[in-house]
Amino acid sequence: MDSLQIKTVASNRNVTLLDRRQWLIASLVAAGTVSLTRPSFAESKNIAPKSTETGKFRIRAVSEVSGEIRLKSQINDAKAKNGKLIAAKTAPMKASSTLEYDEHYESSPNILQCRTYQHFREATSEIQVDRHVTKTALREQCKDIVRFGSDQGLVTACPDNPLFAAERDLIECPINSMFLDQLLTEREVNIADKWTVEREVACRLLNVDAIQDGKLVMCLVEADDSKAQLELNGTIAASVRQVPTTIVLEGKLLLDRSTGSISWFAVNLEETREISEAEPGFHVNAQVKILRSGIESMVSGLTLDEVAQRITNQEAASLLQFQSDLGYYRFLANRKWSTYRDNGEEATLRYVVNDRVLCQCNVTNMIDLEPGRQLSLEGFRSDVKAGLGSSLTEMIEGTERLTSNKLRMLRIVSRGSVQGVGILWIHYHLSNDTGRRVVLAFTLNESNMEAFSQEDAQITDSFELVNWPTKVDEKSLDAAAQAAKQTEDKKVLVSQPTKNERAEGKSRPKMAR
């Protein structure tokens, strides 16, 4: 076989299973010399990486996942009667997702200069944990997505609407298509030759922060004038937000030599991640299939520059939307926040940085007051003082104002100690003219105050109280539905509840006094 030149243009993520016979044929083919070129992040006298790589692709990615999640006890350092630590609870899980999107990206050795515009035509998933099934679909108003580089890696954001955490997790695939072509090499290789993937490339491809041990190895299996077949294998010990994870993968790739880009990628991936302060641990096996083809323009008719210009403030665009379907409220917050529990009456949120809980926030729904009636600042101060009891040392500050959403806000800042540790409490009472009200209590060590910054202000100023639901009368709804069937041109004015809504009665949660 003559020496062949294979160019690399762009990268994206989507997978498919290959016919195994195609890979066995490689052992019967005489060794030939092939040059696989791609931009490199390595600094070498023999390598002159391009400052920027661009590409436009149409992508379909399908994932199937099975395994178990691992949950630790909600009581810190929980111990059994024999004094041993209680083992983490496990639950079986399985998930599937389908993503179809156009992508226009720019990649660079400098992560701050990496960015991509993805226009989604489909983004759906179904996750089953034990017997509980959750279905997620990307909202229509969030079809345009931008990912941009930051000091903390790539940030996923919608220019027009804040994403829910579930939506962000849905569209952040296990394999980052933006860096798929970085798996290629610039040196000439023969059939069966292998090369090690640079750690920086492996981190970006697998969406991990750092690799402590292990490596990924590529191998050229077969090549002809139009395509080249490759394999990817390896095991790495890595970390994601300071949480250890181990990934074992076996993948197959197809390189389109006319474009110099990966057109097909299939990988079997086994991952074991430790339990963190923000998320459960897990042990899963995943099969990811990616199909990828070059396009002249995005189906939306927009370009990366046009969509990126809609993000005028990257920090604001990166905020997530949190919504309590049981507590009937919502707010915008930093993605370092996570919901620990939520039963409608009370929810617990944690602000986690590098797997350390810097702050905990309890959100409590209170009994409604009569419309027009409001709690006074002095009354709230007395409630806080009584709640903190002997832990309270002093009350530092008490203020009152309206939030940007026109809620009346009372704020009390207190200092005290618990078991000899200095604690700062920031209490908020938010209410509207109809009598709805909630209390938010932020608790943190005084030493964490600088790192915590103004996270409490972001949540409270964007806080919205959603109207309570109206109790559903099932008999009336059934009668209305029957009448509609008898008269086809008659419109039903009462919306039908879902099966779950009927079971729940759409009633309010129990309220705290």
Side-chain angles (χ1 to χ4, degrees):
M1 183 181 298
D2 296 333
S3 178
L4 302 175
Q5 181 72 17
I6 300 177
K7 296 181 179 179
T8 296
V9 178
S11 67
N12 245 322
R13 189 171 60 81
N14 271 322
V15 178
T16 302
L17 294 176
L18 283 181
D19 185 346
R20 184 170 180 79
R21 289 176 298 175
Q22 295 179 328
W23 300 98
L24 295 177
I25 292 174
S27 61
L28 304 176
V29 178
T33 301
V34 180
S35 177
L36 301 169
T37 64
R38 53 95 176 143
S40 172
F41 293 133
E43 292 183 0
S44 170
K45 294 180 180 179
N46 299 322
I47 296 175
K50 298 179 182 179
S51 59
T52 302
E53 280 292 314
T54 63
K56 295 176 184 163
F57 289 89
R58 183 151 296 155
I59 295 167
R60 177 178 173 84
V62 177
S63 301
E64 298 287 341
V65 182
S66 62
E68 66 178 19
I69 64 169
R70 299 168 177 176
L71 301 165
K72 68 178 179 180
S73 171
Q74 291 194 0
I75 304 174
N76 290 336
D77 301 324
K79 295 183 179 180
K81 292 182 179 180
N82 60 8
K84 295 183 179 180
L85 290 176
I86 297 176
K89 295 181 179 180
T90 63
M93 67 85 66
K94 60 181 180 179
S96 61
S97 67
T98 300
L99 303 177
E100 287 191 7
Y101 58 96
D102 288 358
E103 179 171 54
H104 180 192
Y105 75 87
E106 293 178 354
S107 67
S108 168
N110 184 350
I111 190 65
L112 297 178
Q113 297 175 2
C114 292
R115 58 179 188 157
T116 181
Y117 160 43
Q118 298 172 333
H119 176 78
F120 282 85
R121 297 188 302 281
E122 180 181 356
T124 58
S125 70
E126 180 174 309
I127 302 173
Q128 179 175 343
V129 178
D130 203 359
R131 297 181 180 179
H132 181 71
V133 177
T134 301
K135 295 182 179 181
T136 302
L138 187 65
R139 288 169 293 163
E140 188 65 32
Q141 61 268 35
C142 298
K143 296 297 186 181
D144 286 337
I145 297 295
V146 174
R147 302 188 72 186
F148 53 86
S150 72
D151 293 336
Q152 299 174 349
L154 288 177
V155 175
T156 303
C158 175
D160 310 308
N161 298 280
L163 294 169
F164 290 111
E167 291 177 310
R168 177 201 60 184
D169 295 341
L170 167 64
I171 60 180
E172 289 185 351
C173 303
I175 304 296
N176 193 329
S177 58
M178 185 176 174
F179 303 108
L180 194 56
D181 290 331
Q182 301 296 333
L183 292 171
L184 303 177
T185 180
E186 292 184 332
R187 67 183 178 87
E188 288 190 348
V189 293
N190 296 318
I191 300 298
D193 278 358
K194 299 179 180 180
W195 62 94
T196 300
V197 178
E198 297 165 11
R199 281 194 170 182
E200 182 67 22
V201 173
C203 284
R204 297 184 182 187
L205 182 75
L206 299 175
N207 295 307
V208 298
D209 297 333
I211 295 176
Q212 286 78 38
D213 194 16
K215 61 183 180 180
L216 300 183
V217 177
M218 291 284 294
C219 178
L220 175 63
V221 177
E222 183 181 2
D224 58 27
D225 292 339
S226 62
K227 62 183 181 300
Q229 297 177 0
L230 307 104
E231 289 184 349
L232 172 65
N233 293 275
T235 299
I236 61 169
S239 59
V240 180
R241 295 181 291 277
Q242 301 297 314
V243 180
T245 189
T246 301
I247 301 175
V248 181
L249 58 81
E250 296 180 359
K252 299 182 185 298
L253 305 88
L254 189 64
L255 176 67
D256 183 345
R257 299 189 61 191
S258 64
T259 62
S261 60
I262 301 297
S263 61
W264 179 94
F265 181 43
V267 64
N268 291 324
L269 185 150
E270 180 182 1
E271 182 171 3
T272 303
R273 187 172 300 184
E274 298 294 331
I275 300 172
S276 73
E277 293 292 348
E279 299 173 335
F282 56 80
H283 175 77
V284 297
N285 289 283
Q287 294 78 44
V288 184
K289 305 175 183 180
I290 300 175
L291 288 174
R292 186 169 177 251
S293 59
I295 56 176
E296 292 296 325
S297 61
M298 307 284 283
V299 70
S300 64
L302 302 174
T303 66
L304 171 59
D305 284 336
E306 290 172 335
V307 179
Q309 286 174 3
R310 282 152 53 184
I311 296 181
T312 57
N313 185 315
Q314 290 190 352
E315 183 177 353
S318 67
L319 296 175
L320 290 177
Q321 179 166 300
F322 290 75
Q323 178 167 305
S324 173
D325 294 329
L326 298 175
Y328 295 91
Y329 55 79
R330 56 177 170 254
F331 56 86
L332 300 179
N334 189 306
R335 55 194 59 211
K336 292 185 177 67
W337 285 99
S338 60
T339 302
Y340 188 62
R341 66 186 180 93
D342 182 4
N343 61 17
E345 179 182 359
E346 185 177 33
T348 301
L349 305 158
R350 287 178 171 178
Y351 185 67
V352 180
V353 178
N354 293 331
D355 205 32
R356 287 182 58 240
V357 179
L358 296 189
C359 178
Q360 179 166 298
C361 173
N362 285 16
V363 184
T364 306
N365 263 308
M366 308 299 289
I367 288 290
D368 290 358
L369 296 177
E370 296 177 3
R373 182 184 172 193
Q374 297 282 2
L375 179 67
S376 68
L377 181 60
E378 286 305 313
F380 186 44
R381 193 191 305 270
S382 297
D383 290 344
V384 171
K385 185 176 181 180
L388 295 178
S390 59
S391 299
L392 176 66
T393 300
E394 63 174 329
M395 288 188 166
I396 305 171
E397 179 184 345
T399 56
E400 177 180 351
R401 69 175 181 86
L402 288 179
T403 69
S404 60
N405 288 320
K406 307 303 180 184
L407 296 180
R408 181 169 176 266
M409 183 181 78
L410 307 177
R411 181 175 185 265
I412 301 291
V413 181
S414 309
R415 179 183 288 120
S417 65
V418 176
Q419 297 180 347
V421 178
I423 301 295
L424 202 66
W425 292 279
I426 310 173
H427 285 83
Y428 290 88
H429 182 279
L430 301 175
S431 58
N432 61 18
D433 292 336
T434 67
R436 273 295 308 276
R437 59 191 186 124
V438 296
V439 168
L440 295 86
F442 295 85
T443 305
L444 65 156
N445 290 357
E446 283 195 272
S447 58
N448 293 334
M449 191 60 197
E450 182 177 353
F452 182 65
S453 187
Q454 300 294 316
E455 294 297 329
D456 56 321
Q458 170 57 52
I459 291 177
T460 54
D461 205 49
S462 63
F463 207 94
E464 295 180 70
L465 292 168
V466 180
N467 291 335
W468 290 125
T470 302
K471 185 78 172 182
V472 174
D473 185 338
E474 188 168 348
K475 290 183 179 180
S476 298
L477 290 171
D478 288 341
Q482 187 64 31
K485 290 181 181 179
Q486 296 173 359
T487 309
E488 293 183 358
D489 59 348
K490 181 177 180 180
K491 294 183 179 180
V492 181
L493 300 180
V494 182
S495 61
Q496 293 279 357
T498 64
K499 181 178 179 180
N500 289 337
E501 287 173 338
R502 291 193 180 198
E504 297 171 358
K506 292 302 289 182
S507 57
R508 305 181 186 181
K510 294 180 180 179
M511 298 290 102
R513 294 286 177 182

